[in-house]
Amino acid sequence: GAVVSQHPSRVICKSGTSVKIECRSLDFQATTMFWYRQFPKQSLMLMATSNEGSKATYEQGVEKDKFLINHASLTLSTLTVTSAHPEDSSFYICSAGETGALEGYTFGSGTRLTVV
Amino acid sequence: QKEVEQDPGPLSVPEGAIVSLNCTYSNSAFQYFMWYRQYSRKGPELLMYTYSSGNKEDGRFTAQVDKSSKYISLFIRDSQPSDSATYLCAMSGRTYKYIFGTGTRLKVLA
């Protein structure tokens, strides 16, 4: 089955620094990738959608300049949290699929970000 | 009112029990319904996918969709301790944008 690899699984960073999270589709071409944030005991909240070769589409309330998304190839998307603050601490998860594959996208294993 | 409502639990059942997990929704445009299982500190794993109304069975899992009542269910037969996880429902219309429930935490006791 489709596999999405996400790295790192955990990261601790100092306030004010930037953190990059990678999401790779290992055995398929991911024309569309999604980035979610999940707070404890809350549902996954879609942050942005990226399509290969074009700018990401951000959800309302998500700061584009803070959460930089790059989808440079059909197998790789990155999320960079810039100037991280403690309130950015969360579980970030990517998912990927071929455009139009509405019957469920494949999720990465998630990244636990802690900003101290 | 949230678009998707799901009881967060936790739900504790003895091993071998039949588990019923449910979600209600308000948007009649939803056509695609998914159930995901999420273990602690891991990404969600797709369990079941259903299009429109009806039932779908896969091993010990059965998904039901009742669009007239805006109600979906996931049944787990012969539950095992390894089924202990958080179960998330998700749904979408004719776009890629999934709306997730908050997840129900299930504990199957040995």
Side-chain angles (χ1 to χ4, degrees), chain A residues 34 38 43 59 102-104 108, chain B residues 38 43 49 95-98 101:
Chain A
F34 307 95
Q38 186 178 34
S43 61
E59 296 299 304
L102 293 172
E103 62 274 17
Chain B
Q38 186 176 22
Y49 151 75
T95 72
Y96 57 81
K97 191 171 178 178
Y98 291 2

Side-chain angles (χ1 to χ4, degrees), chain A residues 46-75:
Chain A
L46 180 65
M47 297 174 66
T49 302
S50 70
N51 293 297
E52 186 267 337
S54 61
K55 288 186 178 180
T57 302
Y58 289 81
E59 296 299 304
Q60 193 172 9
V62 178
E63 297 176 58
K64 300 178 185 182
D65 295 331
K66 183 168 188 59
F67 298 100
L68 302 178
I69 291 171
N70 184 282
H71 192 158
S73 75
L74 284 170
T75 60

Side-chain angles (χ1 to χ4, degrees), chain B residues 31-93:
Chain B
Q31 300 179 63
Y32 300 88
F33 304 92
M34 280 74 61
W35 284 96
Y36 285 86
R37 177 174 60 196
Q38 186 176 22
Y39 292 110
S40 182
R41 300 192 181 94
K42 298 291 184 183
E45 168 196 9
L46 181 65
L47 278 178
M48 301 285 284
Y49 151 75
T50 310
Y51 171 68
S52 193
S53 284
N55 293 359
K56 188 172 185 178
E57 190 172 318
D58 184 2
R60 297 186 295 113
F61 298 91
T62 300
Q64 283 187 353
V65 174
D66 181 348
K67 290 191 73 180
S68 62
S69 302
K70 297 191 179 68
Y71 187 87
I72 69 171
S73 300
L74 176 71
F75 297 97
I76 307 174
R77 289 182 298 281
D78 188 25
S79 56
Q80 304 293 311
S82 58
D83 294 328
S84 298
T86 297
Y87 290 80
L88 297 146
C89 63
M91 45 199 81
S92 70

Side-chain angles (χ1 to χ4, degrees), chain B residues 6-35:
Chain B
Q6 185 175 11
D7 187 333
L11 176 63
S12 294
V13 300
E15 184 175 357
I18 296 174
V19 175
S20 173
L21 303 165
N22 312 295
C23 287
T24 58
Y25 63 95
S26 58
N27 189 340
S28 58
F30 288 148
Q31 300 179 63
Y32 300 88
F33 304 92
M34 280 74 61
W35 284 96

